[in-house]
Amino acid sequence: MQDILVLYYSQHGATRELARLIARGIESVPGCQARLRTVPKVSAVCEATEPAVPDAGAPYAERRDLAECIGLALGSPTRFGNMAAAMKYFLDGTSAEWMAGTLAGKPACLFTTSASMHGGQESTLLSMMLPLLHHGMLVLGLPYTEPALSITQSGGTPYGVSHVAGLNNDRRISEDEKTLAIAQGKRLAEAALKLAAGRG
C-alpha cells in the first residue's frame, strides 16, 4: 500500500470533515491509503503550548510523513484570504525537505473552508500552492469534467475543493461538496500511483 498524506489544520471541524472525505476518495483507489495528519495551533502567547499528542482527531504531522508519502492533499481554513497561521508555520519549517527535494515530483491538491461564500476560498487555495510549487510538487486542480463543479451552489473551485461552513460553522457539507472532495481524493491517488510507478 502506498500512503498519501492528507495534511490539514482545522479549528472548528469543517476542514477536518473535508479531509476525511478526500481520504475516502484516496482509499477508493486500490493500492492507496490515506495518512491523516494535522498541525498544532500557534499562539502569540509565548507560554502557550499544545499537548504532544492531540486530544482528538489525527496525530500531528512529522517530517517523515512528507518523505514517506507519494502525494499530498493540503487543507486549511480560510483566514482573510490566506491559509491559517498554523499551516503556514508548519510549511515554513520544511526548508530541509526543500533542500533535499523530498517532495519534488510528487502530486498535490488543496482544500479549504470558509465562513462565507465570498470569504477568500480561491485566494487561500492559490496561496497554499506557492510553497508546494517551491517544493517542486505537481499541483492538481479540480477539472470541470466533474459535473458537480458546474452546479454547486456552495463550495467547489477549479483550484481545489472547498466548503462554505457558515458564520457559526453550522452548515453541513453539501452533496456537491462531498462529491467533489471524494473525486479530488481519487484523482490525487490515481495520479500519485502513476507518478510513483514512473519513478520506481
Side-chain angles (χ1 to χ4, degrees):
M1 293 291 279
Q2 299 273 25
D3 277 17
I4 295 180
L5 179 60
V6 182
L7 177 60
Y8 68 91
Y9 173 72
S10 186
Q11 187 169 352
H12 300 294
T15 309
R16 180 180 64 239
E17 291 306 311
L18 216 50
R20 289 177 177 164
L21 289 165
I22 289 170
R24 189 192 307 175
I26 289 167
E27 294 186 345
S28 73
V29 176
C32 282
Q33 63 184 9
R35 185 186 295 195
L36 283 159
R37 296 290 185 268
T38 190
V39 296
K41 288 182 180 181
V42 295
S43 173
V45 180
C46 294
E47 295 82 15
T49 60
E50 289 291 305
V53 177
D55 295 331
Y60 292 135
E62 298 177 6
R63 298 291 179 261
R64 67 182 181 87
D65 294 318
L66 298 173
E68 293 171 359
C69 73
I70 63 165
L72 169 66
L74 186 68
S76 169
T78 292
R79 297 287 185 263
F80 300 106
N82 207 328
M83 73 182 95
M87 185 57 71
K88 180 72 164 61
Y89 183 80
F90 177 84
L91 292 172
D92 283 349
T94 59
S95 294
E97 287 74 23
W98 169 69
M99 291 185 74
T102 301
L103 295 171
K106 295 179 181 181
C109 69
L110 305 145
F111 58 102
T112 192
T113 60
S114 65
S116 64
M117 181 70 79
H118 303 289
Q121 290 183 349
E122 292 182 343
S123 60
T124 298
L125 293 166
L126 290 168
S127 76
M128 291 168 64
M129 285 180 196
L130 299 177
L132 303 187
L133 291 169
H134 278 264
H135 273 285
M137 299 198 82
L138 307 172
V139 179
L140 303 176
L142 191 59
Y144 279 93
T145 52
E146 292 298 333
L149 195 55
S150 296
I151 61 171
T152 181
Q153 296 294 303
S154 50
T157 82
Y159 310 114
V161 71
S162 61
H163 166 59
V164 180
L167 294 176
N168 297 313
N169 198 45
D170 55 357
R171 289 189 188 167
R172 299 184 63 79
I173 293 176
S174 72
E175 285 306 310
D176 289 334
E177 291 169 340
K178 185 183 294 186
T179 297
L180 292 169
I182 293 169
Q184 182 166 299
K186 182 179 179 185
R187 186 167 195 259
L188 175 63
E190 289 171 344
L193 282 177
K194 288 176 185 174
L195 288 165
R199 285 194 302 269

